[in-house]
Amino acid sequence: MKKLLMVAGLSIVLLGAGCAGSKAPASGAGGVYGTTDGGRSWIAMNSLPLPTGVSSISGADITSLTRDPSNANVVYAGTLANGLLMSFDAGKSWQRPPEDKAFEAVKTGAVLDIEIDSQRPCVWYILKSDRLMKTDTCGRSYAQIYQEGRANQKLTALALDWYNPSIVWLGSTAGDVYKSADAGATWASATKLKDDISAIEVSRSDSRVVLVASLRRGASRSTDSGATWVDQEKDLKSFAKASNIHGFAETTDGKTLVMNTDYGIFTSADAGATWTPLTLVTAHGEVKITAVGVAPKNGKVIVYGTSSTLYRSVNGGQAWTTTDLPTSRMASAFLFSTDNDASMLLGVQAPVKK
């Protein structure tokens, strides 16, 4: 994969102390942290080399972490206010798009998610709250391929079909789910839920299986790539607040699927057809779970994070260990190593002010 080159004179708005390989600060700093021992110890992974010296991304609030499926060393991070970040050394250091008006849409504001074409690594999709951007030149140029035209609605979820990456899924606060079968050239309505779309997951065991989650009204599931849908809200009704869904995580083979809800964490061994709640350290619904993850090649290794703590299980949720997060910011994203269940990146965000 060709890297996006840094350009001289690049300005920086992500301020704060910390660099890759340094010990994590006691509190307050954001950005990305790394562990190789399951979270017992952390290092800040916030180095931002510039032509004028080394700066830091430790002021950034991370929304998502994505790995290039064709190159494990290439990682992308979305942020709440500082656009797109890219790493070409597995998160040890980061780059930003060039300082040019042509890149303004992806280098400023919120980037909610990044999806990479599994067959063409220079094709990236970048989700913002009001538009979907795409590059087919490894970030040397970008085009807008979808615009949310309603002032009171936002885009919230993005997913790419790994088997046929020309199929792209989008969700919005209006409950709309859109599908493109031609890599974003045209779009059609796939389904509509009665609440904000919070996540879209394409099953790794069969890409025709698609799950769409909402913030308060459960999920809907398709087994034919969106031609028909089955409402799953009733299946979760017996668990208080389980219909409030925040996200999914999945193993590479799709045999273990994890779902984060206000009730707690559920797992599925049949691509989301049925769900089983896990027994957690805290009482169900007692603590806000802000991020979940599962090891790519080992569905027994599950992690979840809160505002202060990392919870980790190596036996599918039968028992948990707890460790403090390396910062006072809450866990917002996990990204496991492809070959080491104890190694992962952690993205964090400042707590939401009420």
Side-chain angles (χ1 to χ4, degrees):
M1 178 178 180
K2 296 180 180 178
K3 299 181 181 180
L4 180 64
L5 299 177
M6 299 292 292
V7 294
L10 182 63
S11 64
I12 186 65
V13 294
L14 309 182
L15 302 177
C19 62
S22 65
K23 291 184 178 180
S27 64
V32 177
Y33 296 83
T35 181
T36 57
D37 56 14
R40 290 190 296 273
S41 62
W42 298 91
I43 57 173
M45 309 281 277
N46 290 333
S47 175
L48 184 70
L50 298 174
T52 55
V54 179
S55 188
S56 172
I57 67 163
S58 62
D61 289 307
I62 305 299
T63 59
S64 62
L65 292 169
T66 304
R67 193 184 306 280
D68 185 331
S70 66
N71 186 340
N73 287 321
V74 180
V75 178
Y76 303 86
T79 71
L80 274 179
N82 302 110
L84 172 69
L85 298 171
M86 301 157 288
S87 173
F88 301 102
D89 53 14
K92 294 182 179 67
S93 64
W94 298 89
Q95 296 183 16
R96 302 186 70 221
E99 187 70 20
D100 187 284
K101 286 187 177 180
F103 300 93
E104 185 173 359
V106 294
K107 75 183 302 293
T108 60
V111 168
L112 306 179
D113 195 9
I114 305 100
E115 294 289 334
I116 311 301
D117 190 308
S118 60
Q119 299 174 13
R120 299 174 297 166
C122 274
V123 177
W124 318 339
Y125 295 85
I126 299 95
L127 181 67
K128 297 178 70 70
S129 61
D130 63 344
R131 73 194 79 173
L132 179 64
M133 307 293 293
K134 178 185 177 182
T135 176
D136 56 11
T137 60
C138 278
R140 290 176 175 81
S141 61
Y142 293 87
Q144 179 177 299
I145 61 171
Y146 187 88
Q147 173 76 46
E148 173 53 70
R150 296 165 292 186
N152 62 335
Q153 303 294 345
K154 296 180 179 179
L155 299 176
T156 54
L158 169 67
L160 201 60
D161 187 312
W162 54 270
Y163 181 76
N164 179 4
S166 291
I167 298 177
V168 188
W169 299 88
L170 270 178
S172 77
T173 53
D176 295 311
V177 178
Y178 302 104
K179 177 183 177 181
S180 173
D182 51 16
T186 61
W187 297 87
S189 175
T191 189
K192 185 177 178 67
L193 276 61
K194 297 178 181 179
D195 194 38
D196 300 23
I197 304 301
S198 56
I200 303 174
E201 187 75 11
V202 177
S203 172
R204 298 294 303 183
S205 62
D206 183 346
S207 72
R208 295 170 295 184
V209 177
V210 181
L211 289 103
V212 176
S214 70
L215 278 179
R216 291 170 290 271
R217 299 293 293 270
S220 189
R221 182 174 183 266
S222 175
T223 59
D224 50 18
S225 196
T228 60
W229 297 85
V230 175
D231 187 356
Q232 295 186 310
E233 183 179 6
K234 292 181 179 179
D235 299 336
L236 300 172
K237 279 290 188 180
S238 58
F239 305 98
K241 296 184 178 180
S243 292
N244 303 356
I245 303 173
H246 300 285
F248 299 102
E250 193 174 4
T251 53
T252 303
D253 60 10
K255 292 182 178 180
T256 300
L257 178 63
V258 178
M259 179 171 66
N260 176 20
T261 78
D262 279 351
Y263 176 82
I265 297 176
F266 290 76
T267 61
S268 175
D270 53 14
T274 59
W275 294 96
T276 301
L278 294 182
T279 300
L280 306 181
V281 175
T282 52
H284 290 291
E286 182 179 291
V287 174
K288 176 73 172 179
I289 297 172
T290 56
V292 296
V294 60
K297 298 179 181 179
N298 186 355
K300 297 292 186 181
V301 178
I302 300 170
V303 295
Y304 70 95
T306 66
S307 61
S308 62
T309 307
L310 171 73
Y311 298 81
R312 183 173 184 263
S313 175
V314 296
N315 53 16
Q318 297 180 45
W320 299 89
T321 58
T322 63
T323 54
D324 291 338
L325 295 181
T327 172
S328 61
R329 300 195 191 196
M330 65 184 185
S332 59
F334 294 111
L335 185 66
F336 276 90
S337 166
T338 56
D339 56 8
N340 183 351
D341 295 344
S343 179
M344 65 181 177
L345 298 179
L346 163 71
V348 297
Q349 285 184 24
V352 177
K353 295 180 180 180
K354 295 183 179 181

